[in-house]
Amino acid sequence: MPDTHLREFYIGGAWTAPASSALLDVVDPSTGEPFTKIAAANAQDVDRAVAAARAAFPGYAATTVEERIALLGRILEGFNRRKEALSQAMSHEMGVPIAAARSIHFPSGPAHLQEIMHVLKTFEFRTMHGTTMVVREPIGVCGMITPWNFPINQVACKVAPALAAGCTMVLKPSEVSPLSALIIAEILHEAGVPAGVFNLVNGDGATAGQAIASHPDIDMVSFTGSTRAGIAVAQAAAGTVKRVAQELGGKSANILLPDADFERAVTQGVNRCFNNSGQSCISPTRMLVPKGRMDDAAAIARKAAEATRVGLPADEAATIGPVAHRAQFEKVQRLIEAGVAEGARLVSGGPGRPPGFERGFFVRPTVFADVQPQMTIAREEIFGPVLSILGYADEDDAVRIANDTPYGLAGYVQSRDPERARAIARRLRVGIVQVNYPPADRGAPFGGYKQSGNGREWGEYGLHEYLEIKGIVGYEPVRK
């Protein structure tokens, strides 16, 4: 990737110099030291990007479905050509072990593109309801603010449906992990995305993010990040009454019913909790087990935690790397210490870095047992490799504990009896329930209840977020 792009923005189909001279450090999480700098946008830069998107909207909105499918296909080819570059960039900026960058993070980009192309082939933009024609039209200019924890996935699951819908857009990726987004901008340019349809500015949330959320010429904002930041985005957007789609925090419960295969259920639960160093909004961080099985679950979880290999990004055998940045590291340490102080039983891990790591943002894979629902580690989203095991008396108690949270993003149920698992799944107040650790389904709706956000992403459900609905009444005459 040309070094010049680090200090440029992609606006109106070209790489351009920013209006602002401000720069932001990009830090290597494995060392804790900056390794490069990126340009930081101000309101003037955002204005230029929005103006380019607004000018491009009428022409791109008028393209055919076939033209958009062809464009998405060229973008997909570009992703596949740049697999190694994207994987290396993400590993460097996020600290993700390179094997996980290649096998978990990168594939999410092509997967979202393939899914939305599949949806477009049969999606009905026009339907008759009686004498009324209901038309689904692109909503307009979209602002996209993406997080640092799954950069390729989060950019792709917003950009792909927006392109499919006929929208134009301004993307602000996280300043913590901006490198992969710059490569994606190159891919879109090479694929022939019309000038102004896709625009990218880098910057922080307080300046660039605020300018996007409050901009009067942006019709819709799609935001993924913390609940606290999501509230700020919604408040900034309220003055212009734009649509706001949010995918926010989570504190997902993983209910292991008494008939579950505990060796498998606990081990995979630990692995899924620790995946991406625990930095996933749907991470199953609260494992709920029958009270009489607490010691069994703790022993299995300890074995799984001790098998988790913490390593440098270049370590092909590493299971997890560091957390993404210093503030996150300090938050995780504070919450681990709170778990110890509040009386949870430390099964594995604990405060501090793992042995052999004197610098960087590495966290010891940590398991707590005998966690009570009111404890801080059972209430707050930790976003690190920390698992809390809670006991329940019966199924009603398990559902009560699972739902006793301000979040409502995801839930998990493990049982040998599919119908029993489905019955529990239907009682959980969350947007996504995974039964017996299924593979990812990019066509499933992704989003949450309560303070986990509003709106849905992925597949057809994500496409709807970028469409406005128009009713043409009297399109067909009333037959007498």
Short mmCIF file of all heavy atoms in Angstrom, two decimals, residues 243-304:
data_model
loop_
_atom_site.label_atom_id
_atom_site.label_comp_id
_atom_site.label_asym_id
_atom_site.label_seq_id
_atom_site.Cartn_x
_atom_site.Cartn_y
_atom_site.Cartn_z
N ARG A 243 -32.00 8.70 9.70
CA ARG A 243 -32.06 7.32 10.21
C ARG A 243 -30.71 6.96 10.83
O ARG A 243 -29.65 7.30 10.30
CB ARG A 243 -32.38 6.34 9.08
CG ARG A 243 -32.53 4.89 9.58
CD ARG A 243 -32.76 3.92 8.45
NE ARG A 243 -33.98 4.21 7.72
CZ ARG A 243 -34.37 3.54 6.64
NH1 ARG A 243 -33.62 2.55 6.16
NH2 ARG A 243 -35.49 3.86 6.03
N VAL A 244 -30.77 6.28 11.97
CA VAL A 244 -29.56 5.82 12.65
C VAL A 244 -29.70 4.33 12.90
O VAL A 244 -30.64 3.88 13.56
CB VAL A 244 -29.34 6.56 13.98
CG1 VAL A 244 -28.08 6.03 14.68
CG2 VAL A 244 -29.21 8.06 13.75
N ALA A 245 -28.78 3.55 12.34
CA ALA A 245 -28.73 2.11 12.58
C ALA A 245 -27.51 1.83 13.44
O ALA A 245 -26.39 2.24 13.11
CB ALA A 245 -28.65 1.35 11.26
N GLN A 246 -27.73 1.14 14.56
CA GLN A 246 -26.65 0.94 15.52
C GLN A 246 -26.48 -0.52 15.88
O GLN A 246 -27.45 -1.23 16.12
CB GLN A 246 -26.96 1.72 16.81
CG GLN A 246 -27.11 3.21 16.63
CD GLN A 246 -27.57 3.87 17.92
OE1 GLN A 246 -28.43 3.34 18.62
NE2 GLN A 246 -27.00 5.01 18.23
N GLU A 247 -25.24 -0.94 15.92
CA GLU A 247 -24.89 -2.26 16.46
C GLU A 247 -23.90 -1.99 17.57
O GLU A 247 -22.76 -1.59 17.31
CB GLU A 247 -24.31 -3.15 15.34
CG GLU A 247 -24.29 -4.62 15.70
CD GLU A 247 -23.01 -5.02 16.41
OE1 GLU A 247 -21.98 -5.15 15.75
OE2 GLU A 247 -23.07 -5.18 17.65
N LEU A 248 -24.33 -2.22 18.83
CA LEU A 248 -23.59 -1.73 19.98
C LEU A 248 -23.06 -2.88 20.83
O LEU A 248 -22.72 -3.93 20.33
CB LEU A 248 -24.48 -0.77 20.77
CG LEU A 248 -25.11 0.36 19.94
CD1 LEU A 248 -26.05 1.21 20.78
CD2 LEU A 248 -24.05 1.22 19.28
N GLY A 249 -22.99 -2.68 22.13
CA GLY A 249 -22.33 -3.63 23.00
C GLY A 249 -23.17 -4.85 23.32
O GLY A 249 -24.35 -4.96 22.95
N GLY A 250 -22.56 -5.78 24.04
CA GLY A 250 -23.25 -7.00 24.43
C GLY A 250 -22.64 -7.61 25.67
O GLY A 250 -21.52 -7.31 26.06
N LYS A 251 -23.42 -8.48 26.30
CA LYS A 251 -22.96 -9.25 27.45
C LYS A 251 -23.65 -10.60 27.38
O LYS A 251 -24.52 -10.94 28.17
CB LYS A 251 -23.29 -8.52 28.75
CG LYS A 251 -22.62 -9.10 29.98
CD LYS A 251 -21.12 -8.90 29.97
CE LYS A 251 -20.47 -9.51 31.20
NZ LYS A 251 -18.99 -9.42 31.14
N SER A 252 -23.26 -11.38 26.38
CA SER A 252 -24.05 -12.55 25.98
C SER A 252 -23.94 -13.71 26.96
O SER A 252 -22.85 -14.05 27.43
CB SER A 252 -23.60 -13.01 24.59
OG SER A 252 -23.71 -11.94 23.67
N ALA A 253 -25.10 -14.31 27.23
CA ALA A 253 -25.16 -15.48 28.09
C ALA A 253 -25.10 -16.75 27.25
O ALA A 253 -25.71 -16.84 26.18
CB ALA A 253 -26.45 -15.47 28.91
N ASN A 254 -24.38 -17.74 27.75
CA ASN A 254 -24.25 -19.05 27.11
C ASN A 254 -24.84 -20.07 28.08
O ASN A 254 -24.20 -20.44 29.07
CB ASN A 254 -22.78 -19.34 26.82
CG ASN A 254 -22.58 -20.64 26.06
OD1 ASN A 254 -23.53 -21.26 25.62
ND2 ASN A 254 -21.32 -21.03 25.91
N ILE A 255 -26.07 -20.50 27.83
CA ILE A 255 -26.77 -21.40 28.75
C ILE A 255 -26.46 -22.85 28.39
O ILE A 255 -26.79 -23.33 27.29
CB ILE A 255 -28.29 -21.16 28.70
CG1 ILE A 255 -28.62 -19.73 29.12
CG2 ILE A 255 -29.02 -22.16 29.59
CD1 ILE A 255 -30.10 -19.38 28.98
N LEU A 256 -25.81 -23.54 29.32
CA LEU A 256 -25.55 -24.96 29.14
C LEU A 256 -26.62 -25.72 29.92
O LEU A 256 -26.64 -25.72 31.16
CB LEU A 256 -24.16 -25.34 29.68
CG LEU A 256 -22.97 -25.10 28.74
CD1 LEU A 256 -22.84 -23.65 28.32
CD2 LEU A 256 -21.69 -25.59 29.39
N LEU A 257 -27.57 -26.32 29.18
CA LEU A 257 -28.63 -27.09 29.83
C LEU A 257 -28.05 -28.38 30.42
O LEU A 257 -26.99 -28.84 29.99
CB LEU A 257 -29.74 -27.37 28.82
CG LEU A 257 -30.49 -26.12 28.35
CD1 LEU A 257 -31.52 -26.48 27.28
CD2 LEU A 257 -31.16 -25.40 29.51
N PRO A 258 -28.74 -28.98 31.40
CA PRO A 258 -28.16 -30.13 32.11
C PRO A 258 -27.80 -31.30 31.20
O PRO A 258 -26.89 -32.08 31.52
CB PRO A 258 -29.27 -30.52 33.09
CG PRO A 258 -30.01 -29.26 33.34
CD PRO A 258 -30.00 -28.53 32.03
N ASP A 259 -28.48 -31.45 30.06
CA ASP A 259 -28.20 -32.59 29.18
C ASP A 259 -27.09 -32.31 28.17
O ASP A 259 -26.80 -33.15 27.33
CB ASP A 259 -29.47 -33.00 28.43
CG ASP A 259 -29.92 -31.97 27.41
OD1 ASP A 259 -29.57 -30.77 27.59
OD2 ASP A 259 -30.59 -32.34 26.44
N ALA A 260 -26.46 -31.13 28.23
CA ALA A 260 -25.41 -30.79 27.26
C ALA A 260 -24.19 -31.67 27.46
O ALA A 260 -23.92 -32.18 28.57
CB ALA A 260 -25.02 -29.32 27.41
N ASP A 261 -23.43 -31.86 26.40
CA ASP A 261 -22.12 -32.52 26.47
C ASP A 261 -21.16 -31.48 27.06
O ASP A 261 -20.66 -30.61 26.36
CB ASP A 261 -21.69 -32.94 25.07
CG ASP A 261 -20.30 -33.57 25.04
OD1 ASP A 261 -19.55 -33.43 26.02
OD2 ASP A 261 -19.94 -34.17 24.00
N PHE A 262 -20.90 -31.58 28.35
CA PHE A 262 -20.17 -30.50 29.04
C PHE A 262 -18.74 -30.36 28.56
O PHE A 262 -18.21 -29.24 28.48
CB PHE A 262 -20.23 -30.71 30.56
CG PHE A 262 -21.31 -29.90 31.20
CD1 PHE A 262 -22.65 -30.11 30.87
CD2 PHE A 262 -21.02 -28.90 32.10
CE1 PHE A 262 -23.66 -29.36 31.44
CE2 PHE A 262 -22.02 -28.13 32.68
CZ PHE A 262 -23.34 -28.36 32.34
N GLU A 263 -18.07 -31.44 28.25
CA GLU A 263 -16.69 -31.33 27.77
C GLU A 263 -16.65 -30.47 26.50
O GLU A 263 -15.84 -29.55 26.37
CB GLU A 263 -16.11 -32.71 27.51
CG GLU A 263 -14.64 -32.71 27.15
CD GLU A 263 -13.74 -32.40 28.34
OE1 GLU A 263 -14.09 -32.78 29.48
OE2 GLU A 263 -12.68 -31.76 28.12
N ARG A 264 -17.54 -30.77 25.58
CA ARG A 264 -17.59 -30.01 24.32
C ARG A 264 -18.14 -28.61 24.54
O ARG A 264 -17.58 -27.62 24.05
CB ARG A 264 -18.46 -30.75 23.30
CG ARG A 264 -18.69 -29.97 22.01
CD ARG A 264 -19.61 -30.74 21.07
NE ARG A 264 -19.83 -29.99 19.83
CZ ARG A 264 -20.77 -29.05 19.68
NH1 ARG A 264 -21.56 -28.73 20.70
NH2 ARG A 264 -20.90 -28.41 18.53
N ALA A 265 -19.23 -28.51 25.29
CA ALA A 265 -19.92 -27.22 25.44
C ALA A 265 -19.06 -26.20 26.17
O ALA A 265 -18.99 -25.03 25.79
CB ALA A 265 -21.25 -27.41 26.16
N VAL A 266 -18.39 -26.62 27.23
CA VAL A 266 -17.55 -25.70 27.99
C VAL A 266 -16.31 -25.32 27.18
O VAL A 266 -15.94 -24.15 27.09
CB VAL A 266 -17.16 -26.29 29.35
CG1 VAL A 266 -16.15 -25.38 30.06
CG2 VAL A 266 -18.40 -26.48 30.23
N THR A 267 -15.67 -26.31 26.58
CA THR A 267 -14.44 -26.05 25.82
C THR A 267 -14.71 -25.08 24.68
O THR A 267 -13.98 -24.09 24.50
CB THR A 267 -13.85 -27.35 25.27
OG1 THR A 267 -13.54 -28.23 26.36
CG2 THR A 267 -12.58 -27.08 24.48
N GLN A 268 -15.75 -25.35 23.90
CA GLN A 268 -16.05 -24.44 22.79
C GLN A 268 -16.54 -23.09 23.29
O GLN A 268 -16.29 -22.06 22.66
CB GLN A 268 -17.09 -25.08 21.87
CG GLN A 268 -16.55 -26.25 21.07
CD GLN A 268 -17.34 -26.51 19.81
OE1 GLN A 268 -17.95 -25.61 19.23
NE2 GLN A 268 -17.37 -27.77 19.39
N GLY A 269 -17.22 -23.08 24.43
CA GLY A 269 -17.65 -21.81 25.00
C GLY A 269 -16.46 -20.93 25.38
O GLY A 269 -16.47 -19.72 25.15
N VAL A 270 -15.44 -21.55 25.99
CA VAL A 270 -14.22 -20.81 26.32
C VAL A 270 -13.56 -20.29 25.05
O VAL A 270 -13.17 -19.12 24.96
CB VAL A 270 -13.25 -21.71 27.11
CG1 VAL A 270 -11.90 -21.01 27.28
CG2 VAL A 270 -13.83 -22.06 28.48
N ASN A 271 -13.43 -21.17 24.05
CA ASN A 271 -12.76 -20.77 22.81
C ASN A 271 -13.50 -19.62 22.11
O ASN A 271 -12.86 -18.70 21.59
CB ASN A 271 -12.64 -21.96 21.87
CG ASN A 271 -11.71 -23.03 22.41
OD1 ASN A 271 -10.87 -22.76 23.29
ND2 ASN A 271 -11.83 -24.25 21.92
N ARG A 272 -14.81 -19.68 22.12
CA ARG A 272 -15.58 -18.61 21.47
C ARG A 272 -15.51 -17.32 22.27
O ARG A 272 -15.51 -16.23 21.71
CB ARG A 272 -17.02 -19.04 21.26
CG ARG A 272 -17.16 -20.14 20.22
CD ARG A 272 -18.47 -20.11 19.51
NE ARG A 272 -18.54 -21.12 18.45
CZ ARG A 272 -19.45 -21.12 17.49
NH1 ARG A 272 -20.38 -20.17 17.45
NH2 ARG A 272 -19.45 -22.05 16.56
N CYS A 273 -15.44 -17.43 23.58
CA CYS A 273 -15.29 -16.24 24.41
C CYS A 273 -13.93 -15.58 24.16
O CYS A 273 -13.83 -14.35 24.09
CB CYS A 273 -15.43 -16.62 25.88
SG CYS A 273 -15.17 -15.25 27.03
N PHE A 274 -12.88 -16.38 24.02
CA PHE A 274 -11.53 -15.85 23.85
C PHE A 274 -11.22 -15.48 22.40
O PHE A 274 -10.20 -14.82 22.15
CB PHE A 274 -10.51 -16.88 24.33
CG PHE A 274 -10.51 -17.11 25.82
CD1 PHE A 274 -9.72 -18.11 26.37
CD2 PHE A 274 -11.29 -16.35 26.68
CE1 PHE A 274 -9.71 -18.33 27.73
CE2 PHE A 274 -11.29 -16.57 28.05
CZ PHE A 274 -10.49 -17.58 28.58
N ASN A 275 -12.04 -15.89 21.44
CA ASN A 275 -11.78 -15.59 20.04
C ASN A 275 -11.54 -14.09 19.85
O ASN A 275 -12.24 -13.27 20.42
CB ASN A 275 -12.98 -16.04 19.19
CG ASN A 275 -12.79 -15.73 17.73
OD1 ASN A 275 -11.74 -15.97 17.15
ND2 ASN A 275 -13.83 -15.19 17.10
N ASN A 276 -10.54 -13.76 19.02
CA ASN A 276 -10.19 -12.36 18.75
C ASN A 276 -9.81 -11.63 20.05
O ASN A 276 -10.11 -10.45 20.22
CB ASN A 276 -11.34 -11.63 18.05
CG ASN A 276 -10.88 -10.39 17.30
OD1 ASN A 276 -9.82 -10.38 16.69
ND2 ASN A 276 -11.67 -9.33 17.34
N SER A 277 -9.17 -12.37 20.95
CA SER A 277 -8.76 -11.83 22.26
C SER A 277 -9.96 -11.31 23.06
O SER A 277 -9.84 -10.38 23.86
CB SER A 277 -7.72 -10.72 22.10
OG SER A 277 -6.56 -11.23 21.47
N GLY A 278 -11.13 -11.92 22.82
CA GLY A 278 -12.35 -11.54 23.53
C GLY A 278 -13.00 -10.28 23.02
O GLY A 278 -13.98 -9.80 23.59
N GLN A 279 -12.47 -9.74 21.91
CA GLN A 279 -12.95 -8.44 21.40
C GLN A 279 -14.04 -8.65 20.35
O GLN A 279 -13.87 -8.35 19.17
CB GLN A 279 -11.77 -7.65 20.83
CG GLN A 279 -10.71 -7.36 21.88
CD GLN A 279 -9.43 -6.84 21.29
OE1 GLN A 279 -8.99 -5.73 21.61
NE2 GLN A 279 -8.80 -7.61 20.43
N SER A 280 -15.16 -9.18 20.80
CA SER A 280 -16.30 -9.41 19.93
C SER A 280 -17.56 -9.05 20.69
O SER A 280 -17.75 -9.48 21.84
CB SER A 280 -16.36 -10.87 19.47
OG SER A 280 -17.53 -11.12 18.74
N CYS A 281 -18.45 -8.30 20.04
CA CYS A 281 -19.68 -7.86 20.71
C CYS A 281 -20.60 -9.02 21.04
O CYS A 281 -21.41 -8.92 21.95
CB CYS A 281 -20.39 -6.82 19.85
SG CYS A 281 -20.65 -7.34 18.15
N ILE A 282 -20.50 -10.12 20.29
CA ILE A 282 -21.37 -11.27 20.56
C ILE A 282 -20.67 -12.35 21.37
O ILE A 282 -21.17 -13.47 21.51
CB ILE A 282 -21.94 -11.88 19.26
CG1 ILE A 282 -20.83 -12.44 18.36
CG2 ILE A 282 -22.78 -10.87 18.51
CD1 ILE A 282 -21.35 -13.30 17.22
N SER A 283 -19.51 -12.05 21.92
CA SER A 283 -18.75 -13.03 22.68
C SER A 283 -19.58 -13.61 23.83
O SER A 283 -20.19 -12.86 24.60
CB SER A 283 -17.49 -12.35 23.23
OG SER A 283 -16.71 -13.26 23.97
N PRO A 284 -19.60 -14.95 23.99
CA PRO A 284 -20.37 -15.56 25.09
C PRO A 284 -19.61 -15.47 26.40
O PRO A 284 -19.02 -16.44 26.89
CB PRO A 284 -20.55 -17.01 24.62
CG PRO A 284 -19.33 -17.28 23.78
CD PRO A 284 -19.00 -15.97 23.11
N THR A 285 -19.65 -14.31 27.03
CA THR A 285 -18.80 -14.04 28.19
C THR A 285 -19.40 -14.49 29.51
O THR A 285 -18.70 -14.56 30.52
CB THR A 285 -18.51 -12.53 28.28
OG1 THR A 285 -19.75 -11.81 28.28
CG2 THR A 285 -17.70 -12.06 27.08
N ARG A 286 -20.71 -14.78 29.53
CA ARG A 286 -21.36 -15.30 30.74
C ARG A 286 -21.78 -16.75 30.48
O ARG A 286 -22.72 -16.99 29.72
CB ARG A 286 -22.58 -14.48 31.12
CG ARG A 286 -22.28 -13.05 31.56
CD ARG A 286 -23.55 -12.35 32.02
NE ARG A 286 -24.51 -12.20 30.93
CZ ARG A 286 -25.83 -12.16 31.08
NH1 ARG A 286 -26.38 -12.31 32.27
NH2 ARG A 286 -26.61 -11.98 30.03
N MET A 287 -21.08 -17.70 31.06
CA MET A 287 -21.44 -19.10 30.91
C MET A 287 -22.33 -19.51 32.08
O MET A 287 -21.92 -19.41 33.24
CB MET A 287 -20.19 -19.98 30.86
CG MET A 287 -20.49 -21.45 30.66
SD MET A 287 -18.97 -22.44 30.50
CE MET A 287 -18.42 -21.97 28.87
N LEU A 288 -23.56 -19.93 31.78
CA LEU A 288 -24.52 -20.31 32.80
C LEU A 288 -24.62 -21.83 32.85
O LEU A 288 -24.94 -22.48 31.86
CB LEU A 288 -25.90 -19.70 32.49
CG LEU A 288 -26.16 -18.26 32.97
CD1 LEU A 288 -25.12 -17.29 32.43
CD2 LEU A 288 -27.56 -17.82 32.56
N VAL A 289 -24.33 -22.41 34.04
CA VAL A 289 -24.34 -23.86 34.21
C VAL A 289 -25.19 -24.21 35.42
O VAL A 289 -25.36 -23.39 36.34
CB VAL A 289 -22.90 -24.40 34.39
CG1 VAL A 289 -22.02 -24.01 33.20
CG2 VAL A 289 -22.28 -23.92 35.70
N PRO A 290 -25.74 -25.43 35.47
CA PRO A 290 -26.46 -25.84 36.69
C PRO A 290 -25.54 -25.73 37.90
O PRO A 290 -24.34 -26.03 37.82
CB PRO A 290 -26.83 -27.30 36.40
CG PRO A 290 -26.82 -27.42 34.91
CD PRO A 290 -25.75 -26.48 34.43
N LYS A 291 -26.07 -25.26 39.02
CA LYS A 291 -25.23 -25.03 40.20
C LYS A 291 -24.45 -26.27 40.61
O LYS A 291 -23.29 -26.17 41.04
CB LYS A 291 -26.09 -24.53 41.35
CG LYS A 291 -26.60 -23.11 41.15
CD LYS A 291 -27.41 -22.62 42.35
CE LYS A 291 -27.87 -21.17 42.15
NZ LYS A 291 -28.70 -20.68 43.27
N GLY A 292 -25.03 -27.43 40.43
CA GLY A 292 -24.34 -28.67 40.81
C GLY A 292 -23.21 -29.05 39.87
O GLY A 292 -22.43 -29.96 40.19
N ARG A 293 -23.11 -28.39 38.72
CA ARG A 293 -22.05 -28.70 37.75
C ARG A 293 -20.98 -27.61 37.72
O ARG A 293 -20.13 -27.61 36.82
CB ARG A 293 -22.66 -28.85 36.35
CG ARG A 293 -23.74 -29.91 36.20
CD ARG A 293 -23.21 -31.32 36.40
NE ARG A 293 -22.14 -31.67 35.46
CZ ARG A 293 -22.36 -32.16 34.23
NH1 ARG A 293 -23.60 -32.31 33.78
NH2 ARG A 293 -21.34 -32.51 33.45
N MET A 294 -20.99 -26.70 38.69
CA MET A 294 -20.04 -25.58 38.67
C MET A 294 -18.60 -26.07 38.68
O MET A 294 -17.76 -25.60 37.89
CB MET A 294 -20.29 -24.66 39.86
CG MET A 294 -19.32 -23.49 40.00
SD MET A 294 -19.37 -22.32 38.61
CE MET A 294 -20.97 -21.55 38.89
N ASP A 295 -18.27 -27.01 39.56
CA ASP A 295 -16.88 -27.47 39.64
C ASP A 295 -16.46 -28.19 38.38
O ASP A 295 -15.32 -28.04 37.92
CB ASP A 295 -16.70 -28.37 40.87
CG ASP A 295 -16.76 -27.60 42.18
OD1 ASP A 295 -16.63 -26.36 42.13
OD2 ASP A 295 -16.95 -28.23 43.23
N ASP A 296 -17.36 -28.97 37.79
CA ASP A 296 -17.05 -29.65 36.53
C ASP A 296 -16.75 -28.63 35.43
O ASP A 296 -15.76 -28.75 34.70
CB ASP A 296 -18.23 -30.52 36.08
CG ASP A 296 -18.48 -31.71 36.98
OD1 ASP A 296 -17.58 -32.06 37.76
OD2 ASP A 296 -19.58 -32.28 36.91
N ALA A 297 -17.62 -27.62 35.31
CA ALA A 297 -17.44 -26.61 34.28
C ALA A 297 -16.15 -25.84 34.50
O ALA A 297 -15.41 -25.55 33.54
CB ALA A 297 -18.64 -25.65 34.27
N ALA A 298 -15.84 -25.51 35.76
CA ALA A 298 -14.62 -24.75 36.05
C ALA A 298 -13.38 -25.54 35.67
O ALA A 298 -12.42 -24.99 35.12
CB ALA A 298 -14.60 -24.38 37.52
N ALA A 299 -13.37 -26.84 35.94
CA ALA A 299 -12.21 -27.66 35.62
C ALA A 299 -11.99 -27.75 34.11
O ALA A 299 -10.85 -27.67 33.62
CB ALA A 299 -12.38 -29.06 36.22
N ILE A 300 -13.08 -27.93 33.37
CA ILE A 300 -12.97 -28.00 31.90
C ILE A 300 -12.53 -26.65 31.34
O ILE A 300 -11.69 -26.57 30.44
CB ILE A 300 -14.31 -28.44 31.29
CG1 ILE A 300 -14.69 -29.84 31.77
CG2 ILE A 300 -14.23 -28.42 29.76
CD1 ILE A 300 -16.13 -30.22 31.46
N ALA A 301 -13.09 -25.58 31.89
CA ALA A 301 -12.75 -24.24 31.41
C ALA A 301 -11.28 -23.92 31.70
O ALA A 301 -10.60 -23.28 30.87
CB ALA A 301 -13.65 -23.20 32.07
N ARG A 302 -10.80 -24.35 32.84
CA ARG A 302 -9.38 -24.12 33.15
C ARG A 302 -8.48 -24.81 32.13
O ARG A 302 -7.51 -24.21 31.65
CB ARG A 302 -9.07 -24.62 34.56
CG ARG A 302 -7.60 -24.47 34.92
CD ARG A 302 -7.32 -24.89 36.35
NE ARG A 302 -5.91 -24.71 36.68
CZ ARG A 302 -5.41 -24.84 37.89
NH1 ARG A 302 -6.21 -25.15 38.91
NH2 ARG A 302 -4.13 -24.67 38.11
N LYS A 303 -8.81 -26.02 31.81
CA LYS A 303 -8.01 -26.76 30.82
C LYS A 303 -8.03 -26.05 29.47
O LYS A 303 -6.99 -25.92 28.80
CB LYS A 303 -8.56 -28.19 30.68
CG LYS A 303 -7.78 -29.08 29.74
CD LYS A 303 -8.23 -30.53 29.84
CE LYS A 303 -9.68 -30.71 29.48
NZ LYS A 303 -10.08 -32.14 29.44
N ALA A 304 -9.20 -25.57 29.06
CA ALA A 304 -9.30 -24.86 27.77
C ALA A 304 -8.54 -23.54 27.80
O ALA A 304 -7.89 -23.17 26.82
CB ALA A 304 -10.77 -24.62 27.43
#
